[in-house]
Amino acid sequence: MDALKKELKESIIEQLNLEDFSVDDIADDDALFGDGLGLDSIDALELIVMLDKDYGIKLTDPNEGKAVFVSVEVLAKYITDNRTK
Amino acid sequence: MKKNLNTIAYCRIKNHTISVNGKLLYTKDSQLTFPEFAKQVYKEKNIAYPKFFKMDNLSKLGFLASEFIFEAAKLDSDIIKNTGIVLSNRASSLDTDRKHQETINDKNNYYPSPAVFVYTLANIMIGEISIRHQIKGENVFFVAEQFNEILLEQYASSLIQNKKSDLVLCGWVDIDKDKYDAFMYLVAEEGPQKYSKEIIKKIYTED
């Protein structure tokens, strides 16, 4: 799980162009949206594509996305439970 | 009666250099790619706007030029709000269109990136500049073969004469692969330098 969390942080930083962040800057329970990393709606779409492309998970329900993208911790658990690749 | 207009400030970004009102401010290593060049300038200028790194190259180029213009103009944010924006270029958003195309070429690896797709229109750059400076004025983007000072002059004059805008940010912001050229200028009734299409053409050609 720790390796997955690190991988997720690296992917988030790279794919969402979070230039001012490093892996160490993102705590496992930091909020991804709102006051945490300050991600926006386009970032949310980008994360949905990332789940599909890297882990074979198709998110179609917006409410599900809201629950999944709470933090790296929550996201890592969801991927572990649902990944197809 | 037709009012005489003036230029408040102008900025040129090309060939790894940035000049404002004719004064050279930055010269960077010619080996840098545009994103590397833009990042260096962003860091050195201590701009605190993380959204910059999410922008495509065209928006970064326009954003940087407008940063220098508004810094040089020294205007209150209340005045800037009613700025009209009239920009143009040759390549439209082709630089980003290609990147989007790359993500959808392979049907077996079809993952279009939303963050790339949202920049597949040249006038998104105007949106980025407007968000940054809280501008709510009229705007238009023209795609043309070359810098057309007559068209820009007519449009800017019309906006000011008809009291649609107090200021107009005009210019040419073009990027395609490694070639980029931004020439942006801010026009109003009051300003330190006389404005005419002939003067602007001369600055564009010589700067």
Side-chain angles (χ1 to χ4, degrees):
Chain A
M1 187 77 112
D2 282 347
L4 177 59
K5 285 182 202 168
K6 183 169 180 285
E7 179 182 295
L8 280 172
K9 289 175 189 177
E10 286 168 350
S11 292
I12 288 170
I13 289 167
E14 188 192 335
Q15 293 185 29
L16 306 186
N17 294 306
L18 303 181
E19 185 71 25
D20 296 329
F21 284 88
S22 68
V23 168
D24 294 338
D25 294 329
I26 305 175
D28 293 352
D29 59 352
D30 274 351
L32 296 182
F33 291 85
D35 291 337
L37 297 188
L39 304 186
D40 60 21
S41 57
I42 300 299
D43 294 323
L45 292 173
E46 205 67 39
L47 288 176
I48 289 171
V49 173
M50 183 188 82
L51 280 186
D52 188 4
K53 188 177 178 181
D54 296 346
Y55 306 104
I57 299 172
K58 288 190 188 298
L59 267 187
T60 50
D61 180 359
N63 288 325
E64 197 181 5
K66 221 173 183 178
V68 169
F69 298 135
V70 168
S71 64
V72 169
E73 179 87 52
V74 174
L75 185 55
K77 183 169 187 327
Y78 181 81
I79 290 170
T80 303
D81 294 344
N82 295 277
R83 67 190 302 170
T84 60
K85 63 178 178 185
Chain B
M1 195 178 109
K2 194 176 176 187
K3 295 168 184 167
N4 290 321
L5 300 179
N6 292 281
T7 304
I8 296 176
Y10 62 92
C11 173
R12 189 72 181 264
I13 303 178
K14 67 171 185 177
N15 298 334
H16 303 85
T17 66
I18 299 180
S19 60
V20 176
N21 296 334
K23 187 180 169 192
L24 186 63
L25 298 185
Y26 289 89
T27 302
K28 295 290 176 190
D29 183 347
S30 62
Q31 298 302 309
L32 295 176
T33 62
F34 174 75
E36 290 167 343
F37 165 75
K39 183 177 171 181
Q40 278 199 7
V41 174
Y42 173 96
K43 297 274 184 192
E44 281 181 34
K45 251 189 92 50
N46 290 317
I47 301 171
Y49 196 71
K51 179 83 197 298
F52 176 80
F53 294 106
K54 294 173 184 282
M55 294 178 195
D56 74 339
N57 288 336
L58 179 64
S59 289
K60 281 179 180 170
L61 182 58
F63 176 92
L64 284 178
S66 67
E67 286 293 296
F68 285 102
I69 292 264
F70 285 117
E71 183 182 65
K74 297 187 177 78
L75 297 168
D76 287 345
S77 55
D78 275 353
I79 294 171
I80 291 174
K81 267 183 194 168
N82 195 30
T83 301
I85 303 181
V86 185
L87 296 177
S88 57
N89 77 5
R90 183 174 185 274
S92 185
S93 58
L94 190 59
D95 191 63
T96 300
D97 297 347
R98 282 199 198 91
K99 287 174 185 151
H100 173 61
Q101 181 69 45
E102 284 166 16
T103 68
I104 59 173
N105 270 343
D106 182 357
K107 282 184 181 167
N108 298 316
N109 190 28
Y110 189 92
Y111 295 104
S113 161
V116 172
F117 179 73
V118 292
Y119 287 100
T120 56
L121 274 176
N123 58 353
I124 300 301
M125 169 184 45
I126 293 179
E128 293 290 7
I129 294 169
S130 298
I131 292 167
R132 167 65 164 166
H133 298 284
Q134 298 296 301
I135 292 170
K136 297 178 174 68
E138 301 272 337
N139 66 70
V140 64
F141 193 96
F142 295 107
V143 178
E145 272 297 313
Q146 56 190 13
F147 177 65
N148 185 337
E149 72 284 359
I150 300 168
L151 173 68
L152 298 182
E153 192 254 356
Q154 288 171 341
Y155 213 96
S157 296
S158 170
L159 287 175
I160 293 176
Q161 305 284 353
N162 293 304
K163 301 193 181 303
K164 298 282 186 191
S165 302
D166 300 324
L167 315 157
V168 184
L169 185 66
C170 304
W172 177 262
V173 185
D174 193 48
I175 186 160
D176 189 13
K177 295 180 180 169
D178 297 328
K179 287 181 69 179
Y180 58 91
D181 182 10
F183 175 55
M184 207 179 263
Y185 50 99
L186 188 62
V187 175
E189 282 186 50
E190 304 292 332
Q193 185 173 350
K194 193 173 180 312
Y195 167 75
S196 72
K197 54 184 180 293
E198 291 81 11
I199 294 170
I200 282 298
K201 177 73 174 189
K202 190 166 182 287
I203 295 171
Y204 172 76
T205 309
E206 293 177 356
D207 202 16

